[in-house]
Amino acid sequence: MSFYVKLEDVHLRFKDMKSTDLSLRRLAVGQLMTWFGKNKAEPAEDKMPEVLRGINLELRDGVKLGLIGGNGTGKSTLLRVIAGIYRPTAGRVEVQGRVTTLLNSGFVLDPQLTGIENIRLGCALLKIPNNQVTSKIEEIVEFSELENSIHQHLEHFSDGMRSRLGFAIATSVQPEILLIDEAIGTGDKFFIEKATARITQLIENSSILVMASHNESIMRRICNKVALIRDGKVADLGDVDEMLGNYTEAA
Amino acid sequence: MSSEVQIYTPEKSLKLRGMLSVLKEFFGDLADAYFTSGYSVLSAYYEIKSRYETSVLGPLWMVLSNIIFISVISLIYSSAFGIQLSDYVPFLTAGYLLWMLMVNIIQDGSVTFIWYGHLLKNNKISPLVIYSRLFSRAVIIFAHNIPVIFLIVLYYKGFVFNIPELLFGLTLFVTCTFFMGLAISIMACRFRDIAFVLPSIFQVLILMMPILWKPEMITGRKTILLEVNVIYQLLEIVRAPILGGFVPLHYYINCLALLVVSFLLSAYLYVGSKNKLVLWS
């Protein structure tokens, strides 16, 4: 089976939600005013700019795409659109394959529960079949190096321990399509190396990768294509060295 | 491992979609939330468990505070209304605890998507999974109260339960509340003032419902107040079988109608906004 990601002229515009739009009372009063002709003001135009303005991308098996571009150009939004978290306002997204996301805030853990309970919940969220859960748990505990504290509540975990656990859970399933946003987690130096090794392994075994990052050395090592995102469009797409060279020069 | 092709396009307006396609999607997500992932029930269970671990009595504190409330109110109101304690205590216990179940589901539900918005933003997860977590939690907490109701009725009235009617009524009550809570939770995510207004509404509602006072106290033409109060009837189809009473047939019919209405409302709200909740939360 071949996996692919296809985006055809994808646009996305967030709605401008002012605090007044969030109030049912204000909405009702405004509506009444309009009915009785007291409210002459035309409804304000949607002034929010489009975040994505016509993205066309086709990624086939084996493509490891790096996304570069300044802050707020739509890289993270694009990842969320591919993951199906945000719906496009125009265009079409087609994805074949199991998508795993490692987005900014990563996996969400519940601080009131113990480490092991969080792992079990994570397994349920990732829809790991019941007969594999036990072996997955062992694997996650071992990888996150939390054997001694896994039955404690997360409240007693340090930030580093939490992010190790979150990372281990999120990367416990081999994805077919992997979406990564920015650098991966915190932890001591040793764990970062270990995490990078695991990510590299996941990437090697996954058929498609889309990664947004500002870290050029990681990109050179992992990606085989780079797209420059500017103003919500794919401004340029090409080989890694060429693209990164141009980008650095322009900057 | 094979997986289906996922296609994401701009949402069609619900007006353009047939009712069948809306209901199909709703049922699919419902089944997914409860049967496929197991996340909702598991997370509710862990949350309750952690409450037991962090305090001596855990959720039993809530049971205790309910018992204290019921005892105090029973002493005062039974003499104020001139009703015998043996009659009033079971009546108040059953009514009040069922009412609290409904309040918990709807009030917790109203903040579901605001609290757990981060889950929606970082994972492709159905909002129903998150809602059913809160729902399961409310039901588990209510389960703590069941022995209280049972023992109090047994002590004051003996074994008067009408089990088949009770089971039917309770199922109807819980499903109805599930859908009403879902509809309100979606609206409360869109309109943030709803979550603030709900507690005041419930405060007024509990006084309007025959929970502290008995329905028989209303006579003559004013009984219309009970005949149009479907929420009261929903409560009564569970409470009456507990107390060995009789449920008029039209109460069941009204409650089934309420079920259909709240089901359709929540199905349309859910399918129409499940992809927008992530933007609102």
Side-chain angles (χ1 to χ4, degrees):
Chain A
M1 169 166 290
S2 70
F3 306 111
Y4 63 88
V5 174
K6 201 156 85 185
L7 283 82
E8 289 168 6
D9 195 30
V10 168
H11 289 255
L12 180 73
R13 185 201 296 275
F14 290 124
K15 226 178 159 191
D16 188 9
M17 296 284 257
K18 298 182 209 70
S19 58
T20 49
D21 295 333
L22 293 171
S23 157
L24 185 61
R25 184 175 55 89
R26 276 174 190 263
L27 185 86
V29 172
Q31 194 62 51
L32 283 176
M33 303 269 266
T34 319
W35 282 342
F36 291 105
K38 300 274 185 204
N39 196 354
K40 291 285 193 291
E42 288 290 305
E45 292 254 320
D46 215 341
K47 288 206 183 78
M48 288 286 275
E50 277 191 327
V51 187
L52 302 180
R53 317 174 176 200
I55 299 252
N56 286 293
L57 264 183
E58 191 165 351
L59 310 173
R60 292 273 158 197
D61 262 347
V63 173
K64 318 274 153 134
L65 179 73
L67 300 176
I68 52 174
N71 292 119
T73 47
K75 300 189 299 291
S76 306
T77 310
L78 178 58
L79 291 177
R80 286 199 166 89
V81 168
I82 297 175
I85 295 173
Y86 294 150
R87 285 278 165 140
T89 32
R92 177 185 159 92
V93 181
E94 208 178 310
V95 177
Q96 163 87 67
R98 187 225 292 260
V99 176
T100 296
T101 49
L102 286 175
L103 299 176
N104 262 343
S105 9
F107 213 83
V108 187
L109 301 169
D110 196 329
Q112 287 179 345
L113 307 182
T114 67
I116 199 92
E117 289 168 350
N118 267 293
I119 298 178
R120 282 187 181 277
L121 283 186
C123 288
L125 215 51
L126 295 169
K127 298 191 178 166
I128 293 172
N130 277 334
N131 53 2
Q132 293 173 24
V133 167
T134 321
S135 64
K136 274 282 180 249
I137 291 176
E138 281 170 22
E139 191 192 309
I140 291 168
V141 173
E142 195 192 315
F143 183 81
S144 56
E145 299 168 20
L146 293 168
E147 288 91 346
N148 297 325
S149 35
I150 202 68
H151 290 288
Q152 285 177 17
H153 286 261
L154 248 59
E155 284 162 352
H156 308 302
F157 277 34
S158 71
D159 283 347
M161 287 158 78
R162 280 189 207 187
S163 73
R164 259 152 59 189
L165 182 64
F167 178 83
I169 297 174
T171 54
S172 63
V173 180
Q174 175 61 50
E176 290 155 355
I177 296 168
L178 181 61
L179 309 174
I180 304 181
D181 199 358
E182 295 302 339
I184 316 302
T186 50
D188 52 41
K189 200 176 158 198
F190 181 66
F191 189 77
I192 289 182
E193 272 171 32
K194 208 173 150 184
T196 316
R198 176 136 162 174
I199 284 275
T200 318
Q201 192 204 343
L202 277 187
I203 289 167
E204 272 164 14
N205 295 330
S206 65
S207 64
I208 297 175
L209 164 80
V210 186
M211 177 168 85
S213 176
H214 293 289
N215 187 332
E216 286 188 16
S217 70
I218 287 189
M219 251 187 210
R220 274 179 212 277
R221 209 166 68 212
I222 292 172
C223 301
N224 54 20
K225 278 250 189 291
V226 166
L228 172 64
I229 309 288
R230 191 188 288 146
D231 296 335
K233 284 183 201 156
V234 180
D236 208 352
L237 176 74
D239 289 331
V240 181
D241 289 329
E242 183 195 341
M243 290 292 299
L244 287 177
N246 291 347
Y247 185 58
T248 325
E249 268 172 39
Chain B
M1 190 176 296
S2 68
S3 40
E4 285 175 36
V5 183
Q6 299 284 331
I7 295 174
Y8 308 120
T9 47
E11 279 185 282
K12 268 194 212 166
S13 159
L14 281 185
K15 284 175 202 152
L16 300 174
R17 293 181 58 169
M19 190 172 177
L20 265 181
S21 96
V22 171
L23 292 187
K24 203 178 144 202
E25 189 171 341
F26 188 53
F27 274 120
D29 278 20
L30 268 180
D32 190 51
Y34 265 102
F35 302 114
T36 321
S37 82
Y39 172 82
S40 42
V41 179
L42 196 63
S43 56
Y45 166 72
Y46 282 150
E47 209 174 314
I48 305 273
K49 195 170 144 245
S50 89
R51 285 197 199 180
Y52 270 107
E53 283 162 0
T54 44
S55 71
V56 187
L57 287 176
L60 290 180
W61 280 119
M62 275 175 276
V63 176
L64 207 62
S65 77
N66 285 337
I67 292 177
I68 292 170
F69 177 87
I70 289 166
S71 325
V72 174
I73 296 289
S74 299
L75 272 178
I76 299 169
Y77 278 61
S78 65
S79 56
F81 290 145
I83 308 172
Q84 283 200 326
L85 261 185
S86 61
D87 194 17
Y88 191 73
V89 176
F91 169 82
L92 177 69
T93 311
Y96 179 70
L97 294 179
L98 282 169
W99 174 250
M100 287 314 286
L101 171 64
M102 187 185 277
V103 171
N104 280 339
I105 290 173
I106 293 178
Q107 243 172 59
D108 288 358
S110 72
V111 287
T112 308
F113 299 121
I114 303 170
W115 278 356
Y116 293 96
H118 56 273
L119 268 177
L120 290 176
K121 276 202 178 78
N122 290 299
N123 300 280
K124 174 130 180 58
I125 175 177
S126 146
L128 253 178
V129 171
I130 301 176
Y131 173 74
S132 41
R133 170 183 179 162
L134 278 263
F135 176 80
S136 310
R137 189 181 71 184
V139 171
I140 296 177
I141 290 179
F142 173 73
H144 287 76
N145 288 320
I146 293 177
V148 176
I149 302 176
F150 184 78
L151 288 176
I152 286 184
V153 175
L154 207 60
Y155 176 78
Y156 282 107
K157 294 193 153 211
F159 195 93
V160 291
F161 310 102
N162 185 340
I163 304 285
E165 270 187 40
L166 174 57
L167 289 180
F168 178 73
L170 194 60
T171 315
L172 194 54
F173 179 89
V174 171
T175 11
C176 243
T177 319
F178 177 89
F179 291 122
M180 289 195 292
L182 179 61
I184 291 177
S185 72
I186 294 168
M187 291 191 282
C189 181
R190 173 66 183 79
F191 298 110
R192 293 304 168 88
D193 43 354
I194 291 180
F196 292 104
V197 178
L198 273 180
S200 333
I201 293 180
F202 280 124
Q203 229 164 21
V204 177
L205 276 182
I206 192 179
L207 297 176
M208 285 170 60
M209 296 284 161
I211 291 171
L212 299 177
W213 46 274
K214 300 199 105 184
E216 299 92 87
M217 290 173 181
I218 287 191
T219 48
R221 281 163 62 190
K222 283 179 188 150
T223 47
I224 187 95
L225 289 176
L226 297 180
E227 294 303 311
V228 297
N229 188 340
V230 194
I231 302 292
Y232 153 67
Q233 295 171 8
L234 191 61
L235 200 76
E236 190 63 18
I237 60 170
V238 193
R239 184 170 61 185
I242 293 178
L243 302 174
F246 162 79
V247 184
L249 182 65
H250 68 280
Y251 279 19
Y252 283 120
I253 295 169
N254 291 348
C255 290
L256 284 171
L258 178 66
L259 177 66
V260 173
V261 170
S262 58
F263 168 75
L264 286 178
L265 179 68
S266 61
Y268 269 83
L269 279 176
Y270 174 77
V271 175
S273 51
K274 71 178 215 185
N275 292 312
K276 294 183 195 136
L277 283 169
V278 61
L279 305 173
W280 295 338
S281 64

PDB file of all heavy atoms in Angstrom, chain B residues 24 33 40-41 55 77-78 145 181 202 229 265:
ATOM      1  N   LYS B  24     -25.812   9.316  10.839  1.00  0.00           N
ATOM      2  CA  LYS B  24     -24.798   8.269  10.682  1.00  0.00           C
ATOM      3  C   LYS B  24     -23.469   8.713  11.289  1.00  0.00           C
ATOM      4  O   LYS B  24     -22.816   7.964  12.010  1.00  0.00           O
ATOM      5  CB  LYS B  24     -24.640   7.963   9.191  1.00  0.00           C
ATOM      6  CG  LYS B  24     -24.070   6.586   8.910  1.00  0.00           C
ATOM      7  CD  LYS B  24     -23.990   6.348   7.410  1.00  0.00           C
ATOM      8  CE  LYS B  24     -22.745   5.539   7.107  1.00  0.00           C
ATOM      9  NZ  LYS B  24     -22.319   5.705   5.729  1.00  0.00           N
ATOM     10  N   ALA B  33     -16.590   6.841  20.673  1.00  0.00           N
ATOM     11  CA  ALA B  33     -16.272   7.412  21.980  1.00  0.00           C
ATOM     12  C   ALA B  33     -16.398   6.371  23.084  1.00  0.00           C
ATOM     13  O   ALA B  33     -15.605   6.340  24.011  1.00  0.00           O
ATOM     14  CB  ALA B  33     -17.177   8.608  22.266  1.00  0.00           C
ATOM     15  N   SER B  40     -12.706   7.236  27.413  1.00  0.00           N
ATOM     16  CA  SER B  40     -13.560   8.051  28.272  1.00  0.00           C
ATOM     17  C   SER B  40     -13.830   7.391  29.610  1.00  0.00           C
ATOM     18  O   SER B  40     -13.701   8.008  30.659  1.00  0.00           O
ATOM     19  CB  SER B  40     -14.865   8.385  27.551  1.00  0.00           C
ATOM     20  OG  SER B  40     -15.335   7.265  26.870  1.00  0.00           O
ATOM     21  N   VAL B  41     -14.187   6.096  29.566  1.00  0.00           N
ATOM     22  CA  VAL B  41     -14.511   5.416  30.818  1.00  0.00           C
ATOM     23  C   VAL B  41     -13.252   5.250  31.666  1.00  0.00           C
ATOM     24  O   VAL B  41     -13.255   5.484  32.878  1.00  0.00           O
ATOM     25  CB  VAL B  41     -15.165   4.051  30.530  1.00  0.00           C
ATOM     26  CG1 VAL B  41     -15.468   3.334  31.825  1.00  0.00           C
ATOM     27  CG2 VAL B  41     -16.424   4.229  29.717  1.00  0.00           C
ATOM     28  N   SER B  55      -7.715  12.102  49.178  1.00  0.00           N
ATOM     29  CA  SER B  55      -8.368  12.448  50.428  1.00  0.00           C
ATOM     30  C   SER B  55      -8.869  11.164  51.069  1.00  0.00           C
ATOM     31  O   SER B  55      -9.046  10.149  50.401  1.00  0.00           O
ATOM     32  CB  SER B  55      -9.521  13.417  50.195  1.00  0.00           C
ATOM     33  OG  SER B  55     -10.583  12.750  49.568  1.00  0.00           O
ATOM     34  N   TYR B  77     -38.089  21.153  56.863  1.00  0.00           N
ATOM     35  CA  TYR B  77     -39.209  21.229  55.929  1.00  0.00           C
ATOM     36  C   TYR B  77     -40.341  20.267  56.274  1.00  0.00           C
ATOM     37  O   TYR B  77     -41.496  20.568  56.020  1.00  0.00           O
ATOM     38  CB  TYR B  77     -38.726  20.995  54.490  1.00  0.00           C
ATOM     39  CG  TYR B  77     -38.154  22.233  53.857  1.00  0.00           C
ATOM     40  CD1 TYR B  77     -37.041  22.853  54.413  1.00  0.00           C
ATOM     41  CD2 TYR B  77     -38.736  22.804  52.737  1.00  0.00           C
ATOM     42  CE1 TYR B  77     -36.512  23.998  53.843  1.00  0.00           C
ATOM     43  CE2 TYR B  77     -38.220  23.961  52.169  1.00  0.00           C
ATOM     44  CZ  TYR B  77     -37.097  24.551  52.725  1.00  0.00           C
ATOM     45  OH  TYR B  77     -36.582  25.683  52.163  1.00  0.00           O
ATOM     46  N   SER B  78     -39.980  19.099  56.841  1.00  0.00           N
ATOM     47  CA  SER B  78     -41.074  18.170  57.158  1.00  0.00           C
ATOM     48  C   SER B  78     -41.974  18.774  58.221  1.00  0.00           C
ATOM     49  O   SER B  78     -43.198  18.618  58.167  1.00  0.00           O
ATOM     50  CB  SER B  78     -40.514  16.820  57.607  1.00  0.00           C
ATOM     51  OG  SER B  78     -39.820  16.983  58.813  1.00  0.00           O
ATOM     52  N   ASN B 145     -24.074   7.334  45.357  1.00  0.00           N
ATOM     53  CA  ASN B 145     -25.274   7.734  46.085  1.00  0.00           C
ATOM     54  C   ASN B 145     -26.366   6.672  46.062  1.00  0.00           C
ATOM     55  O   ASN B 145     -27.312   6.737  46.836  1.00  0.00           O
ATOM     56  CB  ASN B 145     -25.837   9.024  45.490  1.00  0.00           C
ATOM     57  CG  ASN B 145     -24.975  10.218  45.836  1.00  0.00           C
ATOM     58  OD1 ASN B 145     -24.487  10.330  46.955  1.00  0.00           O
ATOM     59  ND2 ASN B 145     -24.769  11.095  44.880  1.00  0.00           N
ATOM     60  N   GLY B 181     -27.057  17.468  27.976  1.00  0.00           N
ATOM     61  CA  GLY B 181     -25.750  17.970  28.394  1.00  0.00           C
ATOM     62  C   GLY B 181     -24.839  18.216  27.210  1.00  0.00           C
ATOM     63  O   GLY B 181     -24.120  19.215  27.158  1.00  0.00           O
ATOM     64  N   PHE B 202     -29.939  26.801  37.653  1.00  0.00           N
ATOM     65  CA  PHE B 202     -30.226  25.597  38.431  1.00  0.00           C
ATOM     66  C   PHE B 202     -30.723  25.935  39.833  1.00  0.00           C
ATOM     67  O   PHE B 202     -31.550  25.226  40.391  1.00  0.00           O
ATOM     68  CB  PHE B 202     -28.981  24.717  38.521  1.00  0.00           C
ATOM     69  CG  PHE B 202     -28.768  23.905  37.282  1.00  0.00           C
ATOM     70  CD1 PHE B 202     -27.596  23.978  36.568  1.00  0.00           C
ATOM     71  CD2 PHE B 202     -29.760  23.053  36.825  1.00  0.00           C
ATOM     72  CE1 PHE B 202     -27.405  23.230  35.426  1.00  0.00           C
ATOM     73  CE2 PHE B 202     -29.583  22.308  35.679  1.00  0.00           C
ATOM     74  CZ  PHE B 202     -28.403  22.396  34.979  1.00  0.00           C
ATOM     75  N   ASN B 229     -44.095  20.711  32.874  1.00  0.00           N
ATOM     76  CA  ASN B 229     -42.699  20.672  33.309  1.00  0.00           C
ATOM     77  C   ASN B 229     -42.087  19.306  32.977  1.00  0.00           C
ATOM     78  O   ASN B 229     -42.140  18.370  33.765  1.00  0.00           O
ATOM     79  CB  ASN B 229     -42.648  20.947  34.813  1.00  0.00           C
ATOM     80  CG  ASN B 229     -41.231  21.124  35.295  1.00  0.00           C
ATOM     81  OD1 ASN B 229     -40.277  20.704  34.631  1.00  0.00           O
ATOM     82  ND2 ASN B 229     -41.081  21.738  36.454  1.00  0.00           N
ATOM     83  N   LEU B 265     -31.403  17.525  18.512  1.00  0.00           N
ATOM     84  CA  LEU B 265     -30.724  18.812  18.722  1.00  0.00           C
ATOM     85  C   LEU B 265     -29.224  18.595  18.901  1.00  0.00           C
ATOM     86  O   LEU B 265     -28.398  19.245  18.257  1.00  0.00           O
ATOM     87  CB  LEU B 265     -31.310  19.512  19.952  1.00  0.00           C
ATOM     88  CG  LEU B 265     -30.681  20.860  20.300  1.00  0.00           C
ATOM     89  CD1 LEU B 265     -31.018  21.895  19.240  1.00  0.00           C
ATOM     90  CD2 LEU B 265     -31.145  21.344  21.667  1.00  0.00           C
TER      91      LEU B 265
END
